[in-house]
């Protein structure tokens, strides 16, 4: 599966598209007067939603400019008048997916315990990847700097501020949590994509390779693995192992943040 990279569009144009709705809020009344009686049949929001639907149903490759135009019943050149390139379309799709997460904003109700607040981020992010597994094919090393992305950053920073870490450590801890949760959720989504494309579950894939243990595995060269096996340390299924590993990693990461805060 080819990995695509966000953040590849023309900066000023991409920012204007990502922040189009916030920018338009102040002039909404004038816009209503200007377009009264001539409601457009297509807008940027509609293009983005069509792209997401295609990617959800048929994979990221289906959400090309031509594919989206066909789904909307317009010519590809018409689509370019709303979203100028595939790079901008990808950024818009990713940030729209990020914005779907139900993360409480400033002044909104949220759990009182900071770890429970992090759990909200974790659950919402994993659910987002489950709804949109094509996100696993998008590298956000250069992220779409839109409202969806910034909402996630703001939420995590706000959960950690009460710990009274230094500003630098607060930001570092938030980045560590983001890296861990997003990477793990992306790996789960990638597993889903592989199972879809291959038509074979991960359990079946490992079953086909059972001969590894009978024919090739050397207990003397792998004493640690053998000891864990003999002590029933391995989970029953691949999915259970991934779930337990995720839970273990996040808990230990938050334990470390909490220990640092208590040491101050």
């Amino acid at each position: 599966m080819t990995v695509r990279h966000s953040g590849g569009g023309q900066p000023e144009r991409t920012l204007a598209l990502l922040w189009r709705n916030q920018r338009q809020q102040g002039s909404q009344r004038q816009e209503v007067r200007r377009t009264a009686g001539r409601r457009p049949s297509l807008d940027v929001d509609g293009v983005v939603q069509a792209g997401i639907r295609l990617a959800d149903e048929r994979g990221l490759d289906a959400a090309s400019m031509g594919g989206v135009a066909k789904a909307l019943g317009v010519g590809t050149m018409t689509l370019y008048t709303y979203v100028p390139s595939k790079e901008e379309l990808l950024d818009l799709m990713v940030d729209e997916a990020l914005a779907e997460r139900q993360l409480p904003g400033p002044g909104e109700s949220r759990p009182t315990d900071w770890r429970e607040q992090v759990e909200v981020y974790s659950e919402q992010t994993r659910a987002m990847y489950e709804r949109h597994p094509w996100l696993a094919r998008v590298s956000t090393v250069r992220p779409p700097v839109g409202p969806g992305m910034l909402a996630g950053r703001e939420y995590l920073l706000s959960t950690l501020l009460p710990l009274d870490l230094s500003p630098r450590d607060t930001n570092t801890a938030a980045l560590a949590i983001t890296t861990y949760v997003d990477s793990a959720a992306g790996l789960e989504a990638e597993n889903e994509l592989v199972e879809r494309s291959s038509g074979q579950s991960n359990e079946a894939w490992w079953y086909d390779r059972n001969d590894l243990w009978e024919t090739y595995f050397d207990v003397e060269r792998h004493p640690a693995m053998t000891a864990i096996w003999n002590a029933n340390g391995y989970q029953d299924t691949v999915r259970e192992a991934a779930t337990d590993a995720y839970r273990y990693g996040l808990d230990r990461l938050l334990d470390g943040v909490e220990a640092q805060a208590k040491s101050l």
Side-chain angles (χ1 to χ4, degrees), residues 35-70:
T35 61
R38 296 186 59 190
R39 189 180 184 121
S41 59
L42 186 62
D43 58 16
V44 176
D45 291 345
V47 172
V48 176
Q49 290 299 328
I52 291 174
R53 283 195 300 272
L54 280 174
D56 289 346
E57 295 169 3
R58 297 166 47 195
L60 189 58
D61 290 340
S64 63
M65 297 296 282
V68 173
K70 183 177 180 181

Side-chain angles (χ1 to χ4, degrees), residues 184-235:
L187 186 59
E188 291 178 11
E190 186 177 352
N191 283 331
E192 174 65 22
L193 290 176
V194 170
E195 289 190 350
R196 285 188 191 181
S197 62
S198 67
Q200 183 183 42
S201 70
N202 287 329
E203 300 297 335
W205 187 90
W206 277 106
Y207 182 82
D208 286 346
R209 287 153 180 79
N210 267 344
D211 198 39
L212 165 68
W213 313 111
E214 297 296 332
T215 305
Y216 302 101
F217 186 79
D218 186 342
V219 296
E220 293 183 357
R221 293 185 63 183
H222 306 91
M225 293 178 66
T226 302
I228 296 296
W229 173 265
N230 289 335
N232 295 320
Y234 293 110
Q235 290 85 351

Side-chain angles (χ1 to χ4, degrees), residues 101-233:
R101 295 178 296 183
Q102 297 177 12
L103 302 174
E108 296 181 351
S109 177
R110 61 172 68 189
T112 55
D113 182 74
W114 74 273
R115 293 182 70 131
E116 292 180 6
Q117 293 177 41
V118 173
E119 289 295 340
V120 172
Y121 179 87
S122 169
E123 293 168 1
Q124 290 293 323
T125 299
R126 296 178 77 189
M128 174 190 70
Y129 273 93
E130 186 175 354
R131 289 191 302 272
H132 309 300
W134 52 270
L135 287 168
R137 288 190 53 198
V138 182
S139 167
T140 55
V141 170
R142 296 179 176 179
V145 284
M149 185 273 251
L150 262 61
R153 293 286 298 134
E154 174 65 25
Y155 177 77
L156 273 182
L157 286 171
S158 70
T159 68
L160 299 175
L161 279 176
L163 297 179
D164 292 327
L165 301 171
S166 70
R168 183 183 182 89
D169 285 344
T170 299
N171 183 56
T172 300
L175 286 173
I177 294 168
T178 299
T179 299
Y180 180 79
V181 172
D182 290 23
S183 297
L187 186 59
E188 291 178 11
E190 186 177 352
N191 283 331
E192 174 65 22
L193 290 176
V194 170
E195 289 190 350
R196 285 188 191 181
S197 62
S198 67
Q200 183 183 42
S201 70
N202 287 329
E203 300 297 335
W205 187 90
W206 277 106
Y207 182 82
D208 286 346
R209 287 153 180 79
N210 267 344
D211 198 39
L212 165 68
W213 313 111
E214 297 296 332
T215 305
Y216 302 101
F217 186 79
D218 186 342
V219 296
E220 293 183 357
R221 293 185 63 183
H222 306 91
M225 293 178 66
T226 302
I228 296 296
W229 173 265
N230 289 335
N232 295 320

